[in-house]
């Protein structure tokens, strides 16, 4: 299958010499649509929007708290789709959520509404690639690129399969465990990034634990870029709005551009 618009965009940025920067934020949390515009203006190459779910097993306490607050404020997949329709972020936008929400609405309807709202890609971390058939068929038909994840203990043969089937980019998980800020990422992130880069020429982005400009630079040395979620969401939970998000992502962008 030919690369979709998301992968084409990221490849072009990489070929222009940029390290890729992908912020994650929770849809429905406060003034989230303004935050999407702010992080795009600050230099994000694409934006991941979490569609909140009541049992986010892959997420640590910060994103769990953000999801709970967004749900308490009445967020649903439909309200996230509606909110995104009014945004002209200027970069591709992905969704990240759990399959219960997709199953409840139905694969074809969910993928179709995502595409109509302006999403380019999807991450479903709780569905193994072997069980993504119905979703993948609906997503491919709707033009939604499905990003797959690989972790530090993923064996070589499975890692290759993940790279072959992933669309848009390949999501390397720096650390075992749930999402969250870390003081140190260790050497396993570099080892995984090296294995992924040896297995594919698709963009390889590393996430989980990236919290500071220094860590972003460290991880991007051996990958094509970084995904930063919890460190941004924590700022939003603490009352920082679009301006604070813009400052934080600008700092990361500047650090990556100076390498």
């Amino acid at each position: 299958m030919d690369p979709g618009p998301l992968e084409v965009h990221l490849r072009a940025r990489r070929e222009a010499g940029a390290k890729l920067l992908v912020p994650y934020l929770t849809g429905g949390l406060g003034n989230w649509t303004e935050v999407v515009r702010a992080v795009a203006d600050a230099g994000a190459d694409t934006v991941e929007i979490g569609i909140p779910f009541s049992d986010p097993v892959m997420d640590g306490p910060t994103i769990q708290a953000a999801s709970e607050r967004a749900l308490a404020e009445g967020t649903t997949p439909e309200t996230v789709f509606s909110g995104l329709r009014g945004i002209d972020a200027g970069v591709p936008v992905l969704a990240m959520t759990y399959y219960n929400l997709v199953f409840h609405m139905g694969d074809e309807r969910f993928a179709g509404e995502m595409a109509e709202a302006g999403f380019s890609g999807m991450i479903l971390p709780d569905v193994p690639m072997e069980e993504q058939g119905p979703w993948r068929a609906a997503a491919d038909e709707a033009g939604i690129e499905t990003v797959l994840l690989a972790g530090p203990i993923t064996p070589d043969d499975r890692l290759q399969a993940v790279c072959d089937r992933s669309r848009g980019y390949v999501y390397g998980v720096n650390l075992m465990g749930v999402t969250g800020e870390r003081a140190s990422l260790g050497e396993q992130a570099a080892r995984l990034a090296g294995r992924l880069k040896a297995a594919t020429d698709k963009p390889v982005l590393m996430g989980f634990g990236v919290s500071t400009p220094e860590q972003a630079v460290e991880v991007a040395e051996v990958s094509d870029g970084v995904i930063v979620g919890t460190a941004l969401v924590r700022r939003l939970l603490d009352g920082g709005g679009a301006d604070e998000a813009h400052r934080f992502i600008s700092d990361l962008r500047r650090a990556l551009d100076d390498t």
Side-chain angles (χ1 to χ4, degrees):
M1 182 172 287
D2 292 335
L6 171 62
E7 185 174 330
V8 168
H9 172 75
L10 295 179
R11 283 179 177 270
R13 288 281 294 151
R14 182 180 64 181
E15 290 166 7
K19 288 295 184 180
L20 305 175
L21 175 58
V22 181
Y24 166 97
L25 59 99
T26 301
L29 181 67
N31 59 347
W32 70 277
T33 56
E34 295 178 18
V35 176
V36 172
R37 291 193 187 94
V39 298
D41 289 344
D45 294 296
T46 182
V47 182
E48 291 180 3
I49 297 175
I51 300 177
F53 176 59
S54 58
D55 187 21
V57 295
M58 291 285 291
D59 293 312
T62 300
I63 293 179
Q64 285 188 20
S67 296
E68 290 172 3
R69 188 182 297 181
L71 289 169
E73 293 172 357
T75 301
T76 65
E78 288 88 350
T79 64
V80 175
F81 298 155
S82 176
L84 188 65
R85 288 190 191 98
I87 298 174
D88 182 13
V91 296
V93 178
L94 295 84
M96 184 170 183
T97 194
Y98 294 86
Y99 189 64
N100 298 59
L101 297 178
V102 179
F103 182 78
H104 180 74
M105 185 181 291
D107 296 286
E108 292 183 2
R109 180 184 166 196
F110 203 99
E113 294 208 14
M114 284 184 64
E116 192 275 330
F119 281 101
S120 298
M122 174 63 129
I123 304 169
L124 288 170
D126 61 337
V127 186
M129 63 180 176
E130 294 85 353
E131 299 177 16
Q132 287 190 346
W135 163 254
R136 292 290 293 243
D140 290 348
E141 178 67 23
I144 299 293
E145 295 163 74
T146 302
V147 175
L148 299 182
L149 293 85
I153 62 172
T154 303
D156 287 341
D157 57 344
R158 186 173 181 81
L159 192 93
Q160 186 64 60
V162 167
C163 290
D164 292 345
R165 298 187 193 184
S166 191
R167 301 192 65 204
Y169 56 89
V170 182
Y171 191 137
V173 178
N174 289 316
L175 304 162
M176 297 302 294
V178 297
T179 59
E181 296 174 87
R182 304 289 198 282
S184 174
L185 298 177
E187 296 181 357
Q188 62 183 4
R191 285 198 295 272
L192 176 59
R195 293 172 63 209
L196 289 169
K197 291 290 291 177
T200 184
D201 68 344
K202 293 174 184 174
V204 171
L205 296 169
M206 304 298 291
F208 282 40
V210 180
S211 310
T212 67
E214 293 77 17
Q215 289 177 335
V217 170
E218 175 189 352
V219 172
E221 285 181 356
V222 287
S223 67
D224 295 314
V226 295
I227 301 161
V228 181
T230 298
L232 172 60
V233 172
R234 176 176 57 77
R235 285 166 168 79
L236 301 175
L237 283 174
D238 289 345
D243 290 344
E244 173 64 18
H246 189 279
R247 280 192 291 272
F248 179 54
I249 299 303
S250 294
D251 288 344
L252 294 168
R253 179 77 272 165
R254 192 175 307 110
L256 291 170
D257 289 348
D258 288 345
T259 58

